[in-house]
């Protein structure tokens, strides 16, 4: 029987930690502000944004909503970012991904003032991560690290395998595990004998976006399995891990939903509050 890594419980602990920063800021007349930019009508993105805004409200972070139609131009998007960059009441800017195809996500992210990049996607934030310098860390992998720490799961010296090499999850995940002294392997679509490589893992992170792809065959007895996948199927929302087959083999496993998802949002709140602290010097 694997331990179930409850993301909601860890997220509550993170939010309790930031609450003291929020009250100190309030005493100094500062309310952390997050601009949430959502372009188009992707239903999944709309759901994520709604949940992020709800978490902000609970934590005393003021979310300012910028919803724009799918036809929004790059210039219009960048004008919103410029306005938020210049606004001292906005401490964090989130541009929900994916953007519609005609928009240049790279240019949009690069337009965000690095100190307001609470998603940790800006080249400066990622560069600072590579260099081991402080910066906002990408929320999903940062949340995974926090979840491991909360449950006393040792990372140093462990074999960690990350499936997926996206800029949002896989690459920063690998860097954070490396920073925590794991021996890290990153797998992707060209990896040979994927299941064999994954079976080396003491800590296996699935971030591929393929419903229930990771079965027991990929998992060493006693491994810790973190499921980053959020896949909408006819059978409802499922992760990248086939929970039923993996749970009996793993020592700990994060569920979907209720695992990494709430952690991502908690780290967004934490990054925003920390950005407000840094900007106000309070
Ligand atoms: N799309 C999927 N995950 C994320 C995230 O963490 N931040 C943003 N901005 N977009 C996303």
């Amino acid at each position: 029987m694997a331990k179930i890594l409850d993301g909601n419980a860890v997220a509550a602990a993170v939010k309790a930690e930031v609450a003291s920063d929020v009250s100190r800021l309030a005493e100094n007349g500062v309310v952390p502000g997050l601009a949430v930019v959502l372009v188009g009508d992707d239903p999944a993105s709309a759901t994520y944004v709604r949940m992020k805004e709800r978490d902000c409200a609970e934590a005393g972070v003021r979310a300012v909503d910028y919803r724009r139609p799918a036809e929004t131009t790059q210039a219009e998007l960048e004008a919103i970012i410029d306005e938020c960059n210049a606004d001292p009441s906005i401490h964090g800017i989130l541009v929900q991904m994916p953007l519609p195809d005609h928009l240049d996500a790279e240019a949009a992210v690069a337009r965000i003032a690095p100190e307001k990049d609470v998603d940790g996607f800006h080249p400066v934030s990622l560069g600072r991560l590579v260099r081991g310098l402080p910066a906002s860390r990408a929320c999903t992998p940062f949340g995974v690290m926090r979840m491991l720490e909360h449950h006393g799961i040792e990372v140093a010296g462990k074999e960690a395998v990350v499936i997926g090499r996206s800029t949002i999850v896989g690459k920063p995940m690998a860097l954070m595990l490396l920073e925590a002294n794991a021996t890290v392997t990153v797998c992707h679509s060209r990896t040979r004998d994927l299941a064999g490589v994954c079976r080396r893992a003491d800590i296996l992170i699935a971030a591929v976006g393929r419903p229930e792809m990771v079965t027991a065959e990929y998992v060493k007895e006693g491994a810790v399995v973190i499921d980053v996948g959020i896949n909408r199927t006819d059978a409802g929302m499922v992760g990248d891990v086939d929970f039923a087959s993996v749970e009996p083999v793993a020592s700990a496993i994060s569920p979907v939903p209720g695992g990494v998802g709430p952690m991502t949002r908690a780290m967004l709140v934490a990054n925003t509050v920390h950005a407000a602290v840094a900007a106000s010097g309070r």
Side-chain angles (χ1 to χ4, degrees):
M1 278 292 275
K3 179 175 183 178
I4 306 299
L5 303 172
D6 175 0
N8 285 305
V10 189
V14 170
K15 287 187 233 165
E17 271 167 31
V18 299
S20 66
D21 282 330
V22 173
S23 357
R24 197 181 58 256
L25 287 167
E27 283 160 21
N28 289 283
V30 178
V31 177
L34 173 68
V36 179
V37 184
L38 173 59
V39 183
D41 36 36
D42 177 52
S45 289
T47 303
Y48 298 148
V49 161
R50 190 169 61 245
M51 292 167 87
K52 287 173 184 181
E53 290 180 341
R54 192 195 61 198
D55 280 17
C56 282
E58 279 170 18
V61 171
R62 185 176 68 101
V64 184
D65 208 72
Y66 289 87
R67 278 174 206 245
R68 293 295 183 270
E71 315 75 71
T72 300
T73 65
Q74 186 74 21
E76 286 164 342
L77 173 61
E78 293 188 6
I80 295 173
I81 295 170
D82 290 347
E83 178 188 319
C84 295
N85 281 341
D87 182 344
S89 75
I90 295 292
H91 306 99
I93 303 171
L94 173 146
V95 178
Q96 184 64 30
M97 302 294 166
L99 288 169
D101 286 345
H102 69 279
L103 293 174
D104 182 344
E106 282 300 329
V109 167
R111 193 90 180 184
I112 296 171
E115 65 276 14
K116 298 192 179 189
D117 170 41
V118 286
D119 256 332
F121 296 167
H122 191 284
V124 169
S125 305
L126 286 167
R128 291 181 70 88
L129 172 62
V130 173
R131 300 198 65 118
L133 298 170
S136 277
R137 299 287 196 238
C139 301
T140 299
F142 196 24
V144 171
M145 295 308 290
R146 189 65 174 70
M147 183 184 246
L148 295 172
E149 189 192 318
H150 183 95
H151 288 283
I153 296 165
E154 186 77 44
V155 175
K158 296 285 179 65
E159 288 274 350
V161 174
V162 180
I163 321 175
R165 56 176 158 183
S166 70
T167 311
I168 292 185
V169 184
K171 282 183 199 167
M173 184 79 256
L175 289 162
M176 287 180 214
L177 288 162
L178 185 61
E179 193 173 40
N181 299 309
T183 300
V184 183
T185 304
V186 183
C187 298
H188 45 78
S189 53
R190 305 284 286 272
T191 297
R192 276 180 271 162
D193 186 20
L194 178 62
V197 176
C198 290
R199 274 197 305 275
R200 298 207 301 256
D202 302 309
I203 300 172
L204 179 62
I205 317 270
V208 245
R210 295 250 236 102
E212 299 176 327
M213 187 199 85
V214 176
T215 54
E217 181 205 351
Y218 289 66
V219 181
K220 178 170 76 177
E221 182 81 38
V224 172
V225 180
I226 305 290
D227 190 350
V228 179
I230 300 180
N231 306 292
R232 276 146 227 277
T233 69
D234 293 340
M237 195 211 283
V238 298
D240 291 348
V241 175
D242 177 18
F243 190 91
S245 88
V246 169
E247 188 270 339
V249 184
S251 63
I253 182 168
S254 72
V256 176
V260 173
M263 289 308 301
T264 297
R265 303 196 306 273
M267 300 328 275
L268 173 69
V269 169
N271 282 346
T272 304
V273 172
H274 294 152
V277 169
S280 63
R282 302 290 181 177

